[in-house]
Amino acid sequence: MLPIHPIAVPTPYPVGTVNAYVILSRPYTLIDTGPDIKEAGEALKKGVEPAGISLHEIERIVLTHSHLDHSGLIDWLSGFSKATLFIHPAELKKMVSDDPFQQRMQFVIKTGTPEDIIRQLIKWHGEFVFPVMPGKRIVELAGGEELRFDEGFLQVYHLPGHASGHLCFFDPAGGNFFSGDFLLPDITPNPVVEFDPDCPGKRLPTLSLYLEGLHKIDKMDIKTVWPGHGEAISDYHRVIATCLQHHRERANWIMELLRVNGEKNVYEISQLVFQGLTGHDVFLGLSEIQAHLDILAERELVKIRERGKVFYYSVAG
Ligand SMILES: [Zn+2]
Ligand SMILES: [Zn+2]
């Protein structure tokens, strides 16, 4: 069983703190880093002290995914530790290339989002800086690998849906599962719109992939889930059931809105479901609505009509 040392790291985001985890067995391993702000670095430094090690002794950093609340301190950490970074190639690509953002904007145009809001999204993206990657010290993980320690190992699980290269890590000896943002105690993770790397412009079926992953881990024998945000989860089957229920209700709500209001685009539906979203949350709102519409369209419950550059949805039949 691997010894776990959790550290709550502050973020400037509404989500509150993010959890970094140190595995206290050689090679000392850090799961997620926290965001690139001074307070987060200080929290990490102080946070490892009670474990009897210092940050420069970290030998391996594994990232659940590239979102900046989890990855932002990579650059800073690689400046003074010799740690090797382990990450899924899809997440690495998002950190070193601007293509995913360009594709996102193409998607946003098709949702019918007004131009002034699109301009805000672009401005917000410009303020959003990914950390510099630590050169050669990067190992790509696709899922299915084992990370070995003196006292055990972690199995690597590729669980897309919130992020296309999202990884989770499982210590079978202790029943401990590090879920990143894949499973959270109080929040339903957003099925963020992403694109097929082999087919530019084609959306990945993020919500279907996510639900598949939930069913997969529901069958596992996990004792404790250590999430990317919030407290450790002891009854994870209940959290999964709540999440599945949320998505069923959301799909029903969207169908009901279309029945009552007639044909709508993704932006209009997102405004009816989530009122008053601003900043990056606009994109997350669009993502969630689109993810549901993709499943509803697949099940032939809604039909799609293109007008100008925008796609409109209505109840089929
Ligand atoms: Zn995330
Ligand atoms: Zn997060």
Side-chain angles (χ1 to χ4, degrees):
M1 175 170 156
L2 295 168
I4 303 164
H5 181 72
I7 303 170
V9 180
T11 79
Y13 310 116
V15 71
T17 57
V18 63
N19 296 321
Y21 296 99
V22 182
I23 308 294
L24 285 169
S25 177
R26 300 296 296 268
Y28 295 137
T29 298
L30 177 69
I31 302 178
D32 286 346
T33 68
D36 186 15
I37 54 168
K38 199 163 157 260
E39 296 83 346
E42 274 161 15
L44 266 190
K45 253 187 194 161
K46 278 214 179 74
V48 294
E49 276 169 15
I53 65 165
S54 67
L55 265 189
H56 69 262
E57 291 177 84
I58 296 288
E59 298 162 278
R60 189 158 58 183
I61 300 168
V62 295
L63 290 184
T64 56
H65 62 307
S66 64
H67 294 167
L68 286 176
D69 49 338
H70 300 258
S71 71
L73 276 182
I74 274 292
D75 189 16
W76 178 77
L77 276 167
S78 3
F80 61 85
S81 87
K82 293 271 178 292
T84 302
L85 170 67
F86 290 71
I87 183 170
H88 190 281
E91 297 306 293
L92 182 61
K93 189 171 179 197
K94 281 184 250 172
M95 297 175 89
V96 297
S97 153
D98 210 33
D99 290 359
F101 174 71
Q102 300 302 342
Q103 290 189 324
R104 273 182 183 194
M105 285 302 114
Q106 289 306 315
F107 153 72
V108 172
I109 290 168
K110 291 175 190 162
T111 63
T113 301
E115 268 178 38
D116 55 327
I117 295 177
I118 295 181
R119 272 199 294 277
Q120 278 173 26
L121 286 173
I122 294 170
K123 183 171 168 283
W124 171 84
H125 178 76
E127 293 161 1
F128 207 79
V129 185
F130 274 116
V132 178
M133 293 288 103
K136 289 177 189 153
R137 286 180 283 129
I138 298 179
V139 175
E140 294 186 354
L141 294 173
E145 299 89 346
E146 278 180 3
L147 299 175
R148 309 221 55 104
F149 294 82
D150 283 356
E151 290 154 78
F153 60 92
L154 285 176
Q155 293 170 337
V156 182
Y157 282 78
H158 176 217
L159 291 165
H162 170 66
S164 57
H166 195 297
L167 298 175
C168 296
F169 304 94
F170 183 48
D171 165 22
N176 291 309
F177 187 82
F178 299 91
S179 66
D181 279 355
F182 186 78
L183 195 67
L184 297 169
D186 309 309
I187 310 164
T188 306
N190 190 281
V192 180
V193 160
E194 288 197 59
F195 300 88
D196 186 337
D198 300 323
C199 188
K202 184 171 181 263
R203 268 198 311 279
L204 289 170
T206 47
L207 186 53
S208 300
L209 292 169
Y210 181 70
L211 297 174
E212 229 170 77
L214 277 188
H215 289 298
K216 187 171 167 183
I217 65 167
D218 208 15
K219 292 193 195 92
M220 287 171 66
D221 193 11
I222 296 170
K223 225 192 215 158
T224 310
V225 170
W226 300 89
H229 304 275
E231 299 290 317
I233 303 166
S234 50
D235 181 7
Y236 81 105
H237 298 294
R238 185 190 50 79
V239 178
I240 290 177
T242 307
C243 192
L244 292 170
Q245 173 75 9
H246 162 87
H247 284 302
R248 270 195 300 272
E249 285 172 4
R250 177 75 20 112
N252 290 339
W253 189 4
I254 292 170
M255 285 301 288
E256 188 54 27
L257 284 174
L258 291 178
R259 244 177 242 122
V260 174
N261 298 290
E263 193 176 64
K264 291 277 168 227
N265 64 38
V266 178
Y267 178 76
E268 289 166 340
I269 302 169
S270 79
Q271 286 300 103
L272 290 167
V273 173
F274 316 100
Q275 283 128 22
L277 289 184
T278 55
H280 184 52
D281 290 342
V282 173
F283 179 74
L284 296 179
L286 295 172
S287 280
E288 181 153 345
I289 300 301
Q290 186 66 64
H292 279 289
L293 289 169
D294 284 348
I295 291 186
L296 294 170
E298 174 86 25
R299 292 167 60 197
E300 296 181 1
L301 293 170
V302 296
K303 56 180 192 277
I304 310 165
R305 194 159 68 96
E306 191 178 350
R307 265 201 279 146
K309 285 183 181 152
V310 179
F311 289 90
Y312 286 80
Y313 291 81
S314 59
V315 176

